């Protein structure tokens, strides 16, 4: 028996909404009982696309975080339900039984990821089924994964060490969305947005020139990373911890070195840093 999972690479997601639209195309107005009842014409997004804006102008980043049901190994929606209305299949897919869940609105608030919707007309909670009805017919992947043009969504059998998802998981650091929920999700992520520090360097005697190739060193604990400013004089360190201490040192021969002690409570734009001639 396969153990299904999905890895979502946020760095490959362009926010094209193909996954979102293919999901709506599959489920809006279509019953797949006993897997799922039809989605209403509007208001439900079983594959959500969350936009995360980081930084301050002009150093701004926009990430898209595709967010389906996480098909958790320790699913809190299952414990929020009564009468086996939510269950986990042997392949790991978590299903809300549309018949047994009728009237159980508490199931909606049982999910901290907020991926369960209440269907007011049918009086049932609803969510992503990982396209279980298609997988059981022999499909190799859900509609959203099939529709993704960039390969940001990888689906497969986590118990098969030769599957694409297992190879990707072994080769890259994957992490949970909201690990603090401790629900052991089968949907994992690569490249979830972290803190960044950025800035721009100018030399005092060349104020109209971009200061290219200046050494900028980031220190944290016993670690140091040095990068060089690009041809616009810009530098950036991404993937940093939240609320952690970092030091930035900017050095160039013949100019006074500048040092900044930073705590990454927010993304930090140091702005234009002028190195004074000595
Ligand atoms: S993400 Fe929410 S709805 Fe999905 S299995 Fe986990 S707790 Fe249940
Ligand atoms: S289809 Fe792929 S690239 Fe497009 S929004 Fe979805 S995950 Fe991102």
């Amino acid at each position: 028996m396969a153990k299904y999972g999905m890895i979502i690479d946020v760095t490959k997601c362009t926010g094209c909404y193909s996954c979102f639209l293919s999901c709506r195309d599959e489920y809006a107005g279509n019953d797949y009982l006993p897997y799922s009842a039809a989605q209403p014409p509007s208001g439900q997004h079983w594959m959500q696309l969350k936009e995360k804006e980081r930084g301050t102008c002009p150093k701004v980043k926009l990430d898209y975080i595709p967010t389906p049901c996480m098909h958790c190994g320790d699913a809190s929606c299952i414990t929020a339900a009564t009468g086996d209305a939510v269950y986990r299949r042997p392949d790991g897919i978590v299903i809300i039984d549309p018949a047994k869940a009728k009237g159980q609105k508490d199931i909606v608030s049982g999910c901290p990821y907020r991926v369960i919707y209440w269907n007011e007309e049918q009086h049932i909670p609803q969510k992503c089924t990982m396209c279980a009805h298609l997988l059981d017919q022999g499909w190799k992947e859900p509609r959203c994964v099939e529709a993704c043009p960039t390969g940001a969504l990888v689906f497969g059998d986590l118990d098969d060490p030769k599957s694409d998802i297992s190879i990707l998981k072994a080769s890259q650091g994957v992490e949970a969305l909201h690990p603090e929920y401790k629900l052991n999700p089968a949907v994992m992520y690569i490249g979830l947005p972290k803190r960044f520090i950025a800035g721009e360097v100018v030399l005092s005697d060349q104020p109209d020139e971009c200061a290219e190739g200046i050494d900028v060193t980031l220190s944290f604990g016993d670690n140091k990373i040095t990068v060089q400013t690009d041809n616009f004089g810009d530098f950036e360190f991404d993937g940093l911890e939240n609320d952690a201490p970092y030091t930035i040192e900017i050095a160039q021969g013949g100019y006074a070195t500048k040092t900044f002690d930073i705590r990454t409570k927010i993304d930090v734009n140091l702005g234009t840093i002028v190195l004074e001639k000595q």
Side-chain angles (χ1 to χ4, degrees), residues 69-72 75-77 94 111 113 115-116 127 183:
C69 165
M70 301 288 142
H71 296 276
C72 307
S76 53
C77 57
V94 176
C111 173
Y113 288 101
V115 293
I116 305 180
K127 70 165 190 70
L183 296 184

Side-chain angles (χ1 to χ4, degrees), residues 8 12-20 49 66 144 147-150 152-153:
I8 298 176
K12 288 186 177 172
C13 177
T14 58
C16 72
Y17 277 83
S18 295
C19 52
F20 170 97
L49 210 54
C144 57
C148 179
T150 67
L153 307 178

Side-chain angles (χ1 to χ4, degrees), residues 181-203:
Y181 295 161
K182 297 186 172 34
L183 296 184
N184 186 20
V187 175
M188 294 155 279
Y189 288 82
I190 292 169
L192 281 172
K194 300 282 192 302
R195 291 290 183 223
F196 73 87
I197 299 172
E200 176 192 341
V201 181
V202 170
L203 301 176

